[in-house]
Amino acid sequence: MNKDQFVVTASQMRDIETRIFTAGMPVAALMEKVAGLISQRLQAIISPGECVGILAGSGHNGGDALVVARELHFRGYQVWIYQPFSKLKELTAQHFQYARNLAIPCYQEITELPNCDFLIDGLFGFGLEREITDTIATAINYFNAGNQPIISIDIPSGLHTDTGEVLGTAIQAQYTFCLGLWKQGLLQEQAIPYIGQAQLIDFDIPLADIYTVLGDSPQIKRITSTTALSTLPLPLPLTTHKYKQGHLLLICGSRRYAGGAILTALGARASGVGMLSIAVPATIKPLLVSHLPEALIIGCPETETGAISHLQLPENTDLNSFTAIACGPGLTQDHPALIPEIIQCECPLVLDADALNILAQIGTISTLQQRTAATILTPHTGEFHRLFPHISPLNRIKAVQTAAQESVAIILLKGARTAISNPQGHVWINPESTPALARGGSGDVLTGLLGGLLAQILTKAGGGFWKDQVLDQIVSVTMNKVISIEDIVATATWWHSQAGILAAQARTELGVDAFTLTQYLIPVLKR
Ligand SMILES: NC(=O)C1=CN([C@@H]2O[C@H](COP(=O)(O)OP(=O)(O)OC[C@H]3O[C@@H](n4cnc5c(N)ncnc54)[C@H](O)[C@@H]3O)[C@@H](O)[C@H]2O)[C@@H](O)CC1
Ligand SMILES: [K+]
């Protein structure tokens, strides 16, 4: 099984490691195995004959680095070791002694160090427990200032393993080889400038040990292509019909922001949703019809400024006629009374953009208390702050957990590492994205895509099961399995960011305007 989806804290990794050692795996054998895998990975990046500087700490991160030094020495690399500590853990001390006896040059002072082509950072792993100061801090700053690439073992030395916070100073790596399981800190936004390209080195941790420590349903998970694709409604049942593929209502747009409605709708279109209805101010109805001939466009009465003033749904239709509703992009804040009306709906509801700004004005938590079905809020950092001004966004994983718990909603906090939490504190983190998505309209596309996926997956012949299960966020789906709503939110997030990555590969990071982004959603699935 792919271990890419698991995420651990330092203390969980320590517990897993202890279980492996207690079960009989010798500590030295595990270090040898892990460092052997690191050496192989390094040989794919560094050519024989190049000079490699090894930075060895006092603990087992340093031990790994010293085994790597020995391996590279025997493979024909020019190796030197920087090891400034006077007291080493026993196994680390043994490897250091052997390296010295092999006549690998060892140094304690940065002033003595020869030049090199690459540095391997084994100063601290998940054992770092306090601020780095004095000699070691000076050394780290010196290495960062050099122009040789640095490859960090497990985590860039100086980052907090759980929060990704810089403890004094930290190595700025070009590559990070994370050992065994992804450390939570590597998925925090504040760690991004230090990590470079991150890779997992799987060293065969038994799944039983992972589940014993993390629980059968781990709290924090990383979105992968496997987890995301398993939630998509593909292939479609052969006997399906359009109403079995979900009916999404979008409430969006204004005379001022007509484009937001189009982009949201194009995101929804790409989701494959069976039926799409779009409520917009009446004046922009013809525009929407011309862009989305397949959708039912509902022209609503509007305010003087061109915002929807009242939802005028077709005859025999109310908000509960839809499988899901997504609301907000381009709405403006001109008519706040619209939101309390929409909040009453008994189907899953996505709120984004101006719907969030209005929600913040009228009271996030008190308003959401009226909900009887699942709610998904998709704020960026600014909107998150307006919705939850008392929650610090610094540790984004904690922030989404707290916000979701307080509001009994699913919170999707957008960013370079989008984090999603359900009210029970189950978190998904999106590990891959692109700055190309930091552009107006890209969030509108996500809202439509998410709404469309929700409507589609939640629809089941005889449906309605999810309505009773709302607080558990568990749904029964067309795919004959149980999928929770936050899994669908994670899949939409993954799909959206992969489209951005694909578009940026084809057109550079400057070429991913929101309309172009919508054109890359389907190619992600074909890849
Ligand atoms: N978890 C696992 O299963 C495995 C872990 N391994 C390695 O072991 C590492 C963890 O090893 P350790 O627990 O020995 O911890 P580290 O090697 O991360 O470092 C801890 C050492 O640094 C000292 N220290 C902590 N903060 C300091 C500071 N601010 N200034 C100066 N000294 C400080 C501690 O007293 C301790 O001696 C992992 O990151 C990984 O590289 C691998 O060897 C193999 C398998
Ligand atoms: K390290």
Side-chain angles (χ1 to χ4, degrees):
M1 187 200 181
N2 195 332
K3 304 209 179 81
D4 244 16
Q5 61 175 290
F6 298 111
V7 180
V8 290
T9 60
S11 106
Q12 288 168 333
M13 192 66 194
R14 184 84 65 207
D15 290 349
I16 290 171
E17 182 188 59
T18 305
R19 290 184 65 81
I20 296 173
F21 296 146
T22 310
M25 180 69 171
V27 179
L30 189 61
M31 184 178 287
E32 199 62 33
K33 172 168 179 159
V34 171
L37 293 168
I38 299 170
S39 305
Q40 284 170 18
R41 211 53 87 86
L42 286 173
Q43 287 168 55
I45 296 175
I46 310 174
S47 312
E50 288 197 283
C51 179
V52 183
I54 305 282
L55 316 178
S58 59
H60 285 177
N61 198 250
D64 288 347
L66 291 165
V67 176
V68 167
R70 186 200 69 207
E71 286 300 295
L72 294 184
H73 166 76
F74 283 123
R75 303 280 90 75
Y77 294 82
Q78 298 174 58
V79 176
W80 55 252
I81 294 168
Y82 168 70
Q83 194 293 101
F85 298 88
S86 51
K87 213 167 149 248
L88 305 180
K89 276 194 176 175
E90 194 183 343
L91 191 52
T92 308
Q94 284 171 356
H95 285 301
F96 185 54
Q97 185 190 347
Y98 189 48
R100 287 222 306 224
N101 286 328
L102 290 173
I104 299 175
C106 296
Y107 305 93
Q108 280 204 307
E109 304 289 338
I110 48 174
T111 49
E112 302 167 345
L113 297 178
N115 289 334
C116 63
D117 302 306
F118 282 88
L119 284 171
I120 310 303
D121 157 37
L123 289 171
F124 303 104
F126 63 69
L128 181 72
E129 47 206 16
R130 51 185 189 277
E131 290 248 320
I132 299 177
T133 53
D134 308 323
T135 318
I136 308 297
T138 309
I140 287 178
N141 296 338
Y142 170 78
F143 297 128
N144 284 340
N147 47 23
Q148 71 303 300
I150 310 180
I151 302 170
S152 284
I153 297 177
D154 211 11
I155 185 163
S157 297
L159 292 190
H160 190 288
T161 307
D162 303 346
T163 64
E165 185 188 343
V166 175
L167 294 173
T169 184
I171 289 284
Q172 282 163 5
Q174 266 66 38
Y175 295 88
T176 297
F177 293 169
C178 180
L179 305 180
L181 298 169
W182 288 106
K183 310 300 174 309
Q184 195 171 298
L186 294 176
L187 295 165
Q188 299 270 12
E189 231 163 271
Q190 52 186 341
I192 292 175
Y194 298 87
I195 295 168
Q197 193 208 99
Q199 307 180 8
L200 186 68
I201 295 193
D202 181 351
F203 62 83
D204 303 322
I205 299 176
L207 271 180
D209 291 318
I210 298 175
Y211 282 117
T212 303
V213 172
L214 302 187
D216 288 338
S217 151
Q219 278 282 99
I220 298 177
K221 288 189 288 184
R222 201 171 156 273
I223 307 171
T224 68
S225 55
T226 313
T227 66
L229 290 170
S230 72
T231 305
L232 280 182
L234 284 174
L236 296 181
L238 292 176
T239 57
T240 194
H241 57 71
K242 62 189 175 191
Y243 291 109
K244 272 191 179 174
Q245 293 308 125
H247 191 170
L248 171 68
L249 172 65
L250 295 178
I251 305 169
C252 52
S254 57
R255 216 184 304 145
R256 206 173 334 146
Y257 302 121
I262 297 171
L263 291 168
T264 312
L266 291 177
R269 171 193 271 176
S271 74
V273 67
M275 290 292 294
L276 177 60
S277 292
I278 312 172
V280 292
T283 34
I284 67 167
K285 178 174 170 173
L287 182 68
L288 268 289
V289 172
S290 70
H291 277 89
L292 292 118
E294 78 277 22
L296 174 73
I297 314 295
I298 306 167
C300 297
E302 54 190 81
T303 62
E304 262 175 33
T305 54
I308 299 174
S309 64
H310 174 62
L311 272 184
Q312 203 170 65
L313 297 176
E315 220 174 304
N316 298 325
T317 306
D318 63 25
L319 288 173
N320 297 328
S321 311
F322 301 93
T323 334
I325 298 177
C327 167
L331 214 55
T332 78
Q333 297 180 53
D334 294 354
H335 191 64
L338 193 64
I339 297 303
E341 187 184 336
I342 295 167
I343 289 285
Q344 307 299 326
C345 75
E346 290 167 13
C347 61
L349 173 64
V350 181
L351 295 177
D352 183 33
D354 279 328
L356 297 177
N357 293 326
I358 295 172
L359 184 65
Q361 274 177 43
I362 61 180
T364 308
I365 291 165
S366 56
T367 308
L368 291 180
Q369 267 165 4
Q370 302 162 39
R371 294 278 302 145
T372 55
T375 316
I376 300 125
L377 310 184
T378 61
H380 55 56
T381 310
E383 288 159 348
F384 184 89
H385 180 71
R386 288 193 279 281
L387 288 164
F388 305 102
H390 58 289
I391 301 177
S392 159
L394 216 57
N395 180 342
R396 291 162 52 89
I397 296 175
K398 272 238 152 60
V400 284
Q401 284 176 314
T402 312
Q405 190 192 14
E406 289 183 5
S407 59
V408 199
I410 292 173
I411 308 293
L412 179 161
L413 177 55
K414 291 174 198 167
R417 295 285 177 275
T418 290
I420 300 151
S421 179
N422 77 356
Q424 291 77 34
H426 284 104
V427 173
W428 280 110
I429 304 165
N430 187 33
E432 277 182 6
S433 194
T434 166
L437 289 175
R439 227 167 142 168
S442 129
D444 302 350
V445 177
L446 175 63
T447 299
L449 181 69
L450 170 57
L453 270 186
L454 279 170
Q456 213 174 159
I457 297 174
L458 293 170
T459 305
K460 169 90 180 153
F465 169 47
W466 44 268
K467 286 183 187 169
D468 307 324
Q469 302 282 322
V470 72
L471 291 180
D472 290 321
Q473 318 286 356
I474 297 293
V475 295
S476 129
V477 295
T478 44
M479 295 143 75
N480 290 328
K481 58 179 170 181
V482 171
I483 293 178
S484 60
I485 292 185
E486 72 271 10
D487 291 356
I488 304 171
V489 178
T491 294
T493 304
W494 172 87
W495 191 355
H496 178 259
S497 63
Q498 291 297 317
I501 291 168
L502 198 60
Q505 279 164 2
R507 298 169 49 90
T508 82
E509 289 174 352
L510 303 183
V512 193
D513 59 275
F515 173 76
T516 297
L517 176 65
T518 65
Q519 305 304 298
Y520 279 84
L521 287 165
I522 294 303
V524 167
L525 303 189
K526 288 181 71 182
R527 188 176 53 167

